[in-house]
Each structure stands twice: as structure tokens, then as C-alpha cells.
Amino acid sequence: KDVQKEREPHVYLSKEEVKEKIQSYNSSVTDKLKMTLNANGIYTGFIKVQMELCRPITVQSSQSQGGCALSNKETAFYLPDGCVNTLHISSTNTVREVIEALLKKFFVADNPAKFALYKRCHKEDQVYTCKLSDREHPLYLRLVAGPKTEMLSFVLREHETGEVMWEAFSIPELQNFLRILDKEENDQLQILKNRYAAYRGKLEEALRGALKPG
């Protein structure tokens, strides 16, 4: 269930409250991904983000020699289902910064405005998915929910088509989107052609059997 408007109020915690929550969080961690509180009140820790991307991503790689880039190559491919990435972030990092860090880690050339970060949580035996605003702080949400991903997890998805601010993209990016859409359209068209060709073959085979002299 997608809940777009559901928002939990951000409770501003005192430094002592943060310290207590971090101690409680670290005592419950089972994967050694603990949080650390710095003297300035900023804390750091880890979040895991599941990639649920329906469309292919564009990955940019450069061939270099002697420290100088010779050429850039872009390749579009689909990420495997269930791909999970772990990021080390601070309490000051926003959703937008987390998205940018994820794309940088995967060498993704697509515009970050194409993607959105969601939180997935369990309430009353139901799973709720809520899109986070760019200014929210994922590590704070992780701290409040605790380390169990069953209680709270993060998911990266593409924006819905109607939500994308296309004017934020460059002409080459828009052209790349068109190429991807053309490929998807051709793939779906070929699937339909193969399906109907199979139906036609079975009908013709049945018709030949019915017309045989008995």
C-alpha cells in the first residue's frame, strides 16, 4: 500500500535523548552497523536501501590511461531485483543527498531528479510505503525506528511519470529517455507478436485437424 501523504512529525531530540537512543540502538544491532555520536551532536551510521527500479539505469564508465580519461561510455541496463546497497551517512544528510550518493556509488549517469526515496514500515500487520520529501533525514528515521529492517526499510524507486520535472533534465538526458522508451516499446511489441503467433499456430493446427477426412 502506497501512502503518499502520510507523514510522521519530526520530533527534535535533545543531545541527551539522542545519546540514549543511540545506546539503545547499538545494543540491538546484530550486523555490527552501529551509530556513533560525535562531540558536536551530529551522529553517523548506516542505512540499507533496496533498489526497486522498473526502468534501466544509465551507467557511465571512463577508459583512462596514465590518469587521463580517454573516452566516456554509457551503458543502459536493468538492476537485478532485490539489490540492496549500504550507505554510511550522517544525521545531517537529507534524502536528496542520499539519492545522489547512491547514484554516485553505482556510477549512474541519470539525473537524481528522476528518483525518489521511500520508507516502508509495518503497522497493524500491514505494510505501508511512503515517499519521503527531499529534506527529510533518513538516519534520524533509522534511529527512531531501531535497527530492524522489518520495522522500517528504505526503497529507491523512479518517480511516477507525472511527478517528474522534465524541465530539470538536459537535452541528452531526455533523448536517452526516449531511446529507452523506444526499446521498451519494441520489446513489448515483440512479446505481443510472439504471443499471437503462437495462438495463430495452435488455431491453424486445430483447423487442419478438423478438416482432415474422417
Side-chain angles (χ1 to χ4, degrees):
K1 180 178 179 182
D2 285 346
V3 182
Q4 297 290 344
K5 301 299 181 182
E6 182 179 320
R7 292 285 183 270
E8 295 181 2
H10 187 109
V11 180
Y12 290 93
L13 305 175
S14 67
K15 187 174 181 179
E16 190 59 35
E17 288 173 325
V18 169
K19 183 178 180 181
E20 292 176 0
K21 279 191 172 293
I22 290 177
Q23 289 175 344
S24 175
Y25 182 98
N26 288 342
S27 65
S28 302
V29 166
T30 58
D31 54 10
K32 298 182 180 181
L33 300 181
K34 296 184 177 183
M35 293 195 187
T36 302
L37 178 62
N38 300 316
N40 58 5
I42 296 174
Y43 51 96
T44 59
F46 299 85
I47 62 169
K48 295 181 179 180
V49 181
Q50 183 167 344
M51 316 291 276
E52 291 185 355
L53 304 180
C54 299
R55 298 186 182 279
I57 57 173
T58 304
V59 176
Q60 188 173 39
S61 61
S62 60
Q63 294 180 339
S64 60
Q65 182 176 0
C68 298
L70 297 179
S71 62
N72 290 326
K73 291 186 177 181
E74 290 187 352
T75 305
F77 69 95
Y78 288 90
L79 277 178
D81 292 336
C83 179
V84 177
N85 202 354
T86 301
L87 285 179
H88 185 249
I89 62 174
S90 80
S91 55
T92 62
N93 288 132
T94 63
V95 164
R96 178 52 48 188
E97 290 171 334
V98 167
I99 293 174
E100 291 173 353
L102 274 173
L103 299 183
K104 184 177 181 181
K105 193 170 184 178
F106 276 97
F107 302 100
V108 177
D110 296 282
N111 193 313
K114 180 182 174 183
F115 304 92
L117 191 67
Y118 290 75
K119 68 175 181 179
R120 182 180 289 155
C121 53
H122 293 251
K123 290 183 180 179
E124 300 176 355
D125 297 327
Q126 293 192 37
V127 179
Y128 293 87
T129 304
C130 176
K131 186 172 70 175
L132 299 173
S133 69
D134 285 349
R135 295 183 179 180
E136 292 188 75
H137 298 87
L139 194 61
Y140 166 80
L141 299 175
R142 179 79 278 159
L143 175 63
V144 172
K148 293 183 179 179
T149 55
E150 295 83 1
M151 299 302 297
L152 173 74
S153 58
F154 296 103
V155 180
L156 185 73
R157 294 177 178 173
E158 298 96 342
H159 275 297
E160 296 295 332
T161 303
E163 299 174 337
V164 179
M165 298 178 61
W166 296 109
E167 61 272 15
F169 294 88
S170 66
I171 291 177
E173 287 174 325
L174 293 173
Q175 291 173 335
N176 188 53
F177 292 158
L178 288 175
R179 286 194 295 270
I180 291 173
L181 288 175
D182 287 339
K183 182 181 183 302
E184 290 182 348
E185 183 180 4
N186 291 332
D187 290 344
Q188 292 300 318
L189 184 60
Q190 189 59 48
I191 291 173
L192 286 174
K193 286 182 177 180
N194 293 340
R195 183 183 303 168
Y196 281 101
Y199 288 160
R200 185 179 294 107
K202 291 180 180 179
L203 287 172
E204 291 174 348
E205 182 180 351
L207 185 60
R208 286 193 296 269
L211 293 176
K212 286 182 179 179

